[in-house]
Amino acid sequence: MLFLGPTAIVAARARPLPVVASNIEQAELLAAKDREVLDRIDHLLAEQRLSRDENLTLSRLARRAGVPARLISGAVNRLARKNVSQYINDFRIAEACRLLRGTDMPVTAAMLESGFQTKSNFNREFRRVTSLSPASWRERNRPSPP
């Protein structure tokens, strides 16, 4: 009996470690699923212009995508290294930039058209993405008159 205790401990330690390849495969599967979720979200936000919906929430996005909210949140966090709100706002800022560059639309109109409800959030997010105020960005990025 005294001999079996240490033998069992040694035998337990001698077992092979879990296969690292299966961990790598699991990580690759998760990354592929994340990419699929993000592609679906990108399609909704850009091509179906869902990012312009000022009432868009993670729950509404999840319903439209047919994907659980926690999967969307996880995919955005892991692949984009942002939260869902920042990810959506990146699409909105891209639209605002397009409007500011290509039209004479007032900044406030571009803000509303791109899906923002408040000027303070728009300005904060615009600076986060571009490092400039919307007016300064427009000044630097407008095409020169012919």
Side-chain angles (χ1 to χ4, degrees):
M1 190 73 103
L2 209 49
F3 179 70
L4 288 177
T7 304
I9 292 171
V10 170
R13 289 183 183 159
R15 288 186 192 159
L17 294 173
V19 180
V20 175
S22 69
N23 290 342
I24 292 170
E25 289 169 3
Q26 287 176 348
E28 289 173 351
L29 278 173
L30 180 61
K33 286 182 181 181
D34 284 350
R35 183 78 257 154
E36 186 178 311
V37 168
L38 220 53
D39 287 346
R40 185 177 293 185
I41 298 310
D42 288 353
H43 174 77
L44 288 170
L45 293 174
E47 294 172 30
Q48 292 192 10
R49 299 181 175 189
L50 194 57
S51 64
R52 293 184 186 181
D53 177 355
E54 66 275 356
N55 297 311
L56 184 62
T57 63
L58 175 57
S59 297
R60 289 184 73 195
L61 182 59
R63 278 195 304 277
R64 286 288 303 271
V67 175
R70 64 181 165 69
L71 292 182
I72 293 172
S73 182
V76 169
N77 288 193
R78 284 185 292 272
L79 292 183
R81 305 241 185 263
K82 312 177 176 184
N83 64 43
V84 173
S85 180
Q86 290 171 325
Y87 194 74
I88 291 168
N89 284 339
D90 286 353
F91 281 85
R92 290 175 173 163
I93 295 300
E95 176 60 13
C97 287
R98 186 187 71 75
L99 293 170
L100 292 171
R101 180 186 299 121
T103 72
D104 290 327
M105 180 181 286
V107 171
T108 303
M111 171 197 86
L112 294 169
E113 183 69 24
S114 60
F116 285 93
Q117 291 181 318
T118 66
K119 200 167 192 173
S120 61
N121 188 40
F122 173 66
N123 287 328
R124 181 178 50 254
E125 289 297 298
F126 201 95
R127 283 185 189 276
R128 178 184 63 82
V129 173
T130 68
S131 300
L132 297 169
S133 71
S136 297
W137 187 93
R138 173 181 254 173
E139 232 175 76
R140 290 187 185 185
N141 291 280
R142 288 290 297 244
S144 305

